[in-house]
Amino acid sequence: MNGDSTAGAILSVLFDSDPLTRPELSQRTRFSRPTVAEAVRRLLEIGLISEAGVRRGGLGRVPTCYQIAPTAGYVIAVDIGGSNLRIAVADLTGTVRVERRQATRGTGARQVAAQTARMIRDAVRDTGAALGPLRRVGVAAPGVIHADGRTMSTAHNLGDDGPFDLLTPLEAAVGAPVVLDNNVNLAALAERWRGHGAGVTTFAFLAVGAGIGMGLVHNGELLRGAHGAAGEVAYLPLPGTVPHGQRPGHGRELLAAEAGGYGMLAAIEARPTWEGPRPSTVEELFAQSAAGVPPARELVDAEAHQLGLTIASTCAVFDPDLVVLGGGIGSNAQLLPAVRRTVAALVPFPPRLESSALGEAASLTGALRIALDGAREELVARGALGGTAGEELPTGTIPSPRAAWPARLG
Amino acid sequence: MAEMAGPSVPARQQLMRSMNEQLLLDHIRRAGRVSRADLARISSLSKPTVSGVLADLERAGLVRVSGTRTGLPGPAAVLYEIRPEAGFVLGLDVGRKYLRGAIGDLTGTVRARASLRSQAAGGHGRVAQLVQLAEQLCAEVGVDLPGITQVVLGSPGVYDPGRDALALAGALTGWERPVVLTQLRRAFGADLVMVNDVDAAALAERSHGHGRQVDSFAFVSVGTGIGMGLVLGGRLHRGAHGAAGEIGYLPLGHEDSSDARDARRRGSFEAAASAAGIVRAARRTGMRGPVSARHVFAAADKGDERAAKVVAAEALLVAKAICAVVTVADPNLVVLGGGIGQATGFLDAVRRELRHLAPVQPELRVSALGPDAVVDGCLAAGLDRAWELVTATPLPESPGAA
């Protein structure tokens, strides 16, 4: 059994490291050199690690270095958005090998899930055997994921309030475990991994796209809340907003009440007159605002003010070190000065405010993170017992810590 | 909890009791009363070792014999327990109208309680009254102030390390001046700890109240001031600047119930929903005479329509604040406290409003704790620290030791 835990320790070191020699592995894992040598032999035999050449320049014998084998396996990350589907293929060190996107077609979770499944199948086919077996798929979903880890609700920007079993069609597409989480939570995780949140233990990621949502990191972990509702800031009872129980319509119509893209488009429509051509997209609105068109500036300022109120509310309750503004609209740097003004006027101890370092790739990066975590944990736990290229891994639900969301929301 | 210890960390914290002494102390603390043989069994130490360590701990005044256990076969077993007087915690609650205090011993038993009506117009007088209160409590227990292991001060506001002073404590005149902290440290020692008063009440709620059974809850206090203590994962969440739960600053006040200057000073929600906000709202409806928040609630109870409208608007405002707490942190439970929060029937009115506002409904309860909640929370916070300080103190060297 000792050999297995040694192999697991070697793998966890090599996942995040340059190639290492056996003495270095012994030092890092604190296992003896003979134990490490035996585990390295086993890991080479089953194809999880490979020789990375020799390191020259030192004195004495030329040592062989080891790395995670390029064919040890791979993961797929998917971000399901209202306008775009994104997919990334990465090896087990987290290096992205392929990244693609296509426009989201059709309406409703069923059609979007089918399109996502096709996209994953195509990526698996195109990757072939070049990277070894597919180990895990991580999916950023645009709604609330229930405690069962498979059902999604309130995916308003797919035009679907749910509940909808998202996991089954995706699992059916691939022979590997699939793990789902909410796209905003994943964006917060990503910001902690590769963005402004690195090393910050308490921060908030405010995602503004079609609608608005927040991912909170508390002591380095996602704060999900007792009912999975932590960060559902679209329901903040801010001045001028309609209580959520009284919001009209369903699906995308519900987003018009939020401080996001749909809300901004609705605000453009609501103005009886416009100087010059009325913008038909949020991008055009921002462009007009930058050019100084008065109604456009007013709407962008109103949006920034609303985001500032959202952040001020978050500070009054949670007092984070840092708030990252992200999402297709939130990461627009034009918003930042006005957001800062509102926050400074309302918050006694304002947090650091930044635009997302990851931009539109934040949720996809978070999905990659959970796919890697799952794949690596499984290999480390199994050590040198398994992991032969091409073997069948069991598929199944990864239990999500998210608590049950009441059905009446759906 | 803000540790304002500054540079002078007592040297005793750097020295440790031996591993065996700490191990046995922990076992005795958990067990309450325990025999030498049982200690040997649960600690896996030999009986002679246990006897030796117990003798040392007894000599140091940390444990004592508390009787014998009879009724079992064999000789009667001597039982040991923690000596309660081995450590004391002093908790002080700095309120606007009253100063309250209590001393608890190392086993958590409260040994003395007292309160004073605050006479002070400024920080200096308030510190003097706190010292007077502390000395009265110490005399009752029979210790002197330096003999207190840990002092914990529950106060409005937060500790601002940038100014080395309290901040957001506007309700107490002069309390934010840096000299106040200097005087408090001079009176109560450099290792004085400050806890926000509502956070302290939340800690009391966690130890003795509705918060005992849940992983996460918010204690929302609505009275002359407004604040919240947020417990996440069983621990008080203070936030990056100690300002988590300063919900008075929620941007929720609406123009007609708020006072612009008051809103700038203490936050828009607090200006609208605290007692002063209720009085302003009542005046706007045309209520005359000596109006107080208590009076408005009493009038509403008796069927006064104007007062009932004010109370209904207050319930909606508080429900909005709770909705904000739910959408950000989503706790299992929200406990409502404070003079307004604990008013009869108010919780039901808040619950009715919250149904239309929040995406999920937390459990809502009225705090069952009385006016001693802040002091009790200070004692709870201080007890763990006192325990650490006491058990980390080195034993006096026994004669002949190397």
Side-chain angles (χ1 to χ4, degrees), chain A residues 202 216 218 223-233 235-239 243-246 309 312-321 346 348-351 405-406 408-409, chain B residues 158 160 167-168 216 228 230 232 237-247 249-253 320 323-332 355-362:
Chain A
T202 299
L216 294 144
H218 170 241
L223 179 74
R224 294 172 187 277
H227 314 84
E232 292 293 327
V233 290
Y235 299 102
L236 273 173
L238 296 174
H244 103 94
Q246 295 159 26
L309 292 178
S313 304
T314 305
C315 293
V317 174
F318 189 65
D319 186 22
D321 268 311
L346 294 172
F349 294 101
W405 187 264
R408 58 172 205 76
L409 255 187
Chain B
V158 302
D160 178 1
L168 312 185
S216 65
M228 176 179 81
L230 182 62
L232 297 175
H237 174 68
R238 299 186 57 252
H241 313 88
E246 289 293 327
I247 55 170
Y249 290 88
L250 280 170
L252 294 181
K320 283 183 173 180
C323 176
V325 175
V326 168
T327 57
V328 174
D330 184 18
N332 295 94
R355 274 200 203 110
H356 305 294
L357 295 172
V360 297
Q361 303 295 321

Side-chain angles (χ1 to χ4, degrees), chain B residues 74-308:
Chain B
V78 176
L79 296 175
Y80 290 85
E81 66 180 10
I82 299 296
R83 195 173 75 92
E85 297 79 15
F88 290 103
V89 179
L90 168 62
L92 293 168
D93 168 17
V94 192
R96 216 164 51 90
K97 288 187 183 155
Y98 289 93
L99 308 176
R100 298 175 203 276
I103 291 179
D105 65 30
L106 197 56
T107 58
T109 306
V110 174
R111 306 287 283 260
R113 271 189 201 282
S115 64
L116 288 177
R117 214 182 158 84
S118 178
Q119 316 277 348
H124 185 72
R126 203 174 286 114
V127 174
Q129 271 202 296
L130 283 171
V131 172
Q132 183 197 338
L133 180 64
E135 282 170 350
Q136 181 189 332
L137 288 164
C138 284
E140 199 174 321
V141 176
V143 289
D144 53 357
L145 198 45
I148 299 287
T149 319
Q150 180 66 55
V151 183
V152 180
L153 184 79
S155 160
V158 302
Y159 173 61
D160 178 1
R163 289 171 58 239
D164 191 31
L166 300 179
L168 312 185
L172 299 179
T173 318
W175 205 234
E176 296 179 356
R177 292 166 56 207
V179 67
V180 166
L181 223 50
T182 313
Q183 289 173 347
L184 283 169
R185 288 195 183 114
R186 199 176 299 142
F188 297 107
D191 54 354
L192 168 71
V193 159
M194 180 257 179
V195 190
N196 172 273
D197 54 355
V198 182
D199 282 353
L203 287 175
E205 203 67 56
R206 190 192 61 175
S207 332
H208 320 297
H210 297 314
R212 274 173 299 179
Q213 308 295 333
V214 293
D215 184 58
S216 65
F217 72 94
F219 175 81
V220 173
S221 176
V222 185
T224 52
I226 286 181
M228 176 179 81
L230 182 62
V231 171
L232 297 175
R235 299 182 63 92
L236 187 65
H237 174 68
R238 299 186 57 252
H241 313 88
E246 289 293 327
I247 55 170
Y249 290 88
L250 280 170
L252 294 181
H254 44 87
E255 302 72 28
D256 59 333
S257 74
S258 193
D259 173 279
R261 210 174 47 170
D262 202 20
R264 269 196 306 279
R265 194 170 64 87
R266 54 178 182 163
S268 117
F269 174 58
E270 180 163 331
S274 62
I278 289 184
V279 169
R280 277 194 289 268
R283 293 246 186 264
R284 268 191 297 273
T285 67
M287 287 178 78
R288 292 287 172 260
V291 175
S292 69
R294 190 181 301 276
H295 173 222
V296 173
F297 272 80
D301 259 354
K302 288 193 195 114
D304 181 313
E305 274 181 33
R306 290 178 301 187

Side-chain angles (χ1 to χ4, degrees), chain A:
Chain A
M1 284 317 287
N2 193 33
D4 300 323
S5 59
T6 314
I10 290 171
L11 288 174
S12 29
V13 167
L14 285 178
F15 283 135
D16 287 310
S17 159
D18 289 333
L20 294 173
T21 64
R22 281 184 300 198
E24 285 165 342
L25 284 169
S26 165
Q27 202 176 18
R28 298 270 202 103
T29 60
R30 299 183 178 198
F31 284 105
S32 72
R33 289 194 189 194
T35 314
V36 166
E38 170 58 19
V40 163
R41 193 190 58 73
R42 286 271 299 132
L43 287 169
L44 284 169
E45 191 179 286
I46 59 177
L48 284 179
I49 66 172
S50 62
E51 293 184 2
V54 292
R55 194 183 297 156
R56 302 200 177 275
L59 295 172
R61 282 176 55 194
V62 182
T64 307
C65 293
Y66 299 92
Q67 64 185 5
I68 297 294
T71 51
Y74 68 102
V75 296
I76 287 179
V78 183
D79 175 23
I80 302 177
S83 340
N84 287 294
L85 300 182
R86 294 159 195 274
I87 191 165
V89 174
D91 63 29
L92 294 181
T93 70
T95 306
V96 173
R97 301 302 192 94
V98 181
E99 199 173 335
R100 290 178 188 158
R101 77 155 80 178
Q102 51 182 249
T104 307
R105 289 188 293 272
T107 286
R110 181 179 306 277
Q111 288 186 34
V112 175
Q115 188 189 353
T116 307
R118 277 196 303 278
M119 214 174 164
I120 297 175
R121 266 199 306 271
D122 290 350
V124 171
R125 187 198 58 217
D126 296 348
T127 306
L131 298 175
L134 174 60
R135 300 270 176 199
R136 192 146 310 209
V137 180
V139 179
V144 172
I145 306 300
H146 292 222
D148 61 3
R150 55 193 319 126
T151 313
M152 175 177 68
S153 285
T154 67
H156 298 317
N157 66 345
L158 301 183
D160 204 323
D161 303 333
F164 175 78
D165 175 0
L166 180 61
L167 196 65
T168 300
L170 300 184
E171 280 180 337
V174 289
V178 180
V179 57
L180 308 175
D181 205 338
N182 169 267
N183 54 0
V184 179
N185 281 343
L186 289 178
L189 270 189
E191 202 69 39
R192 182 166 160 74
W193 181 29
R194 289 181 169 173
H196 293 297
V200 183
T201 53
T202 299
F203 74 96
F205 183 94
L206 176 55
V208 189
I212 179 174
M214 186 179 271
L216 294 144
V217 172
H218 170 241
N219 291 343
E221 307 256 330
L222 278 176
L223 179 74
R224 294 172 187 277
H227 314 84
E232 292 293 327
V233 290
Y235 299 102
L236 273 173
L238 296 174
T241 60
V242 181
H244 103 94
Q246 295 159 26
R247 291 178 187 175
H250 57 86
R252 286 173 186 144
E253 291 159 3
L254 279 169
L255 294 172
E258 301 181 14
Y262 280 92
M264 293 172 89
L265 292 175
I268 296 170
E269 288 304 310
R271 287 184 87 98
T273 60
W274 198 275
E275 292 171 34
R278 194 181 282 265
S280 59
T281 65
V282 178
E283 288 76 18
E284 286 173 29
L285 178 75
F286 273 113
Q288 287 196 10
S289 169
V293 177
R297 287 189 65 166
E298 270 173 45
L299 288 191
V300 168
D301 278 352
E303 170 73 10
H305 181 64
Q306 205 67 11
L307 298 181
L309 292 178
T310 301
I311 293 170
S313 304
T314 305
C315 293
V317 174
F318 189 65
D319 186 22
D321 268 311
L322 163 74
V323 178
V324 178
L325 272 162
I329 289 166
S331 51
N332 190 314
Q334 260 181 273
L335 290 166
L336 210 50
V339 171
R340 281 213 173 97
R341 271 198 303 280
T342 301
V343 171
L346 294 172
V347 182
F349 294 101
R352 190 154 63 90
L353 281 179
E354 305 279 359
S355 290
S356 169
L358 301 167
E360 293 185 70
S363 294
L364 186 67
T365 306
L368 172 58
R369 183 70 256 178
I370 55 168
L372 273 180
D373 284 346
R376 289 173 173 191
E377 269 164 34
E378 179 156 346
L379 286 174
V380 166
R382 291 161 55 148
L385 276 178
T388 315
E391 105 233 66
E392 280 290 308
L393 283 172
T395 59
T397 307
I398 315 301
S400 155
R402 183 175 280 287
W405 187 264
R408 58 172 205 76
L409 255 187

Side-chain angles (χ1 to χ4, degrees), chain B residues 54-67:
Chain B
L54 278 175
D56 285 345
L57 291 173
E58 206 178 342
R59 200 163 43 240
L62 288 178
V63 301
R64 69 179 184 191
V65 172
S66 78

